[in-house]
Amino acid sequence: DAGVIQSPRHEVTEMGQEVTLRCKPISGHNSLFWYRQTMMRGLELLIYFNNNVPIDDSGMPEDRFSAKMPNASFSTLKIQPSEPRDSAVYFCASSLQGLGNQPQHFGDGTRLSIL
Amino acid sequence: EDKVVQSPLSLVVHEGDTVTLNCSYEVTNFRSLLWYKQEKKAPTFLFMLTSSGIEKKSGRLSSILDKKELFSILNITATQTGDSAVYLCAVGNNNDMRFGAGTRLTVKP
């Protein structure tokens, strides 16, 4: 039973570069979530999708961040241009239903370092 | 502003001890409270609580919710070194899932 799959596992790049993080949710899950985790701010919800539609992106820090879900089995989180303060672990999670209804299952995360 | 506060922030115990982790919250339109365990990678789901006073139990772990006093506790009995992790509490409503800062539990042999 495959869990949430994220790629890449690690990304190191220079500031100003575009970064694309990828996520494959658990098959059959209707909701997908992107989180960012830092020592200073803990886990923060960035955006979530229900049935491939973005529902709430109020957690997205700036216009440099964008997320898409073109189909039920794939989502991307893009940062362009990247900045050192974007360095964090980015988690993708999925659940059967929307926020607060079902537990979320997390991927292993992408550790992003912007130099 | 909605918030989730966990205590203590860190805890060191010896194997066999019993621990209680606390989570208090102020969240509008509460739907559920969830507990996760995070070791080196992804948070893994432990419990989801929606109703007051109903204990959820899984092995040595148990949790309960008090919606009147707005808190939950996570109990771990007969702790083992494998219980060492960060335990996260999260509260969800229709629009957000807000996580606490976590309690770092260290269990020494």
Side-chain angles (χ1 to χ4, degrees), chain A residues 5-11 89-90 107-112, chain B residues 41:
Chain A
I5 299 172
Q6 291 187 246
S7 64
R9 298 289 294 276
H10 304 275
E11 175 88 15
V89 179
Y90 290 81
D108 284 342
T110 295
R111 185 173 294 278
L112 177 64
Chain B
K41 294 180 181 176

Side-chain angles (χ1 to χ4, degrees), chain B:
Chain B
E1 183 182 329
D2 292 350
K3 60 181 179 180
V4 177
V5 179
Q6 293 187 244
S7 64
L9 289 181
S10 67
L11 190 56
V12 181
V13 300
H14 287 93
E15 274 192 316
D17 289 349
T18 293
V19 299
T20 298
L21 310 182
N22 304 293
C23 176
S24 64
Y25 62 92
E26 292 178 25
V27 172
T28 54
N29 300 315
F30 171 93
R31 297 193 78 167
S32 61
L33 184 145
L34 298 95
W35 285 97
Y36 288 87
K37 177 183 181 182
Q38 186 174 26
E39 298 175 85
K40 293 184 178 178
K41 294 180 181 176
T44 54
F45 171 73
L46 295 175
F47 297 111
M48 178 171 164
L49 304 158
T50 57
S51 301
S52 277
I54 299 175
E55 184 183 54
K56 296 235 175 160
K57 196 170 172 65
S58 176
R60 295 176 294 102
L61 279 66
S62 64
S63 183
I64 198 161
L65 172 68
D66 187 328
K67 290 171 73 174
K68 182 179 177 184
E69 300 297 331
L70 306 183
F71 79 91
S72 173
I73 59 172
L74 175 68
N75 280 322
I76 309 175
T77 59
T79 51
Q80 303 171 356
T81 55
D83 295 328
S84 296
V86 174
Y87 290 83
L88 296 165
C89 171
V91 178
N93 60 18
N94 290 333
N95 303 311
D96 197 7
M97 180 67 72
R98 193 168 289 264
F99 279 78
T103 294
R104 181 174 295 278
L105 174 64
T106 302
V107 181
K108 293 190 171 182

Side-chain angles (χ1 to χ4, degrees), chain A residues 31 47-58 99, chain B residues 94-95:
Chain A
S31 299
I47 185 172
Y48 77 96
F49 295 83
N50 266 354
N51 296 315
N52 313 340
V53 176
I55 301 301
D56 190 335
D57 65 354
S58 58
L99 274 174
Chain B
N94 290 333
N95 303 311

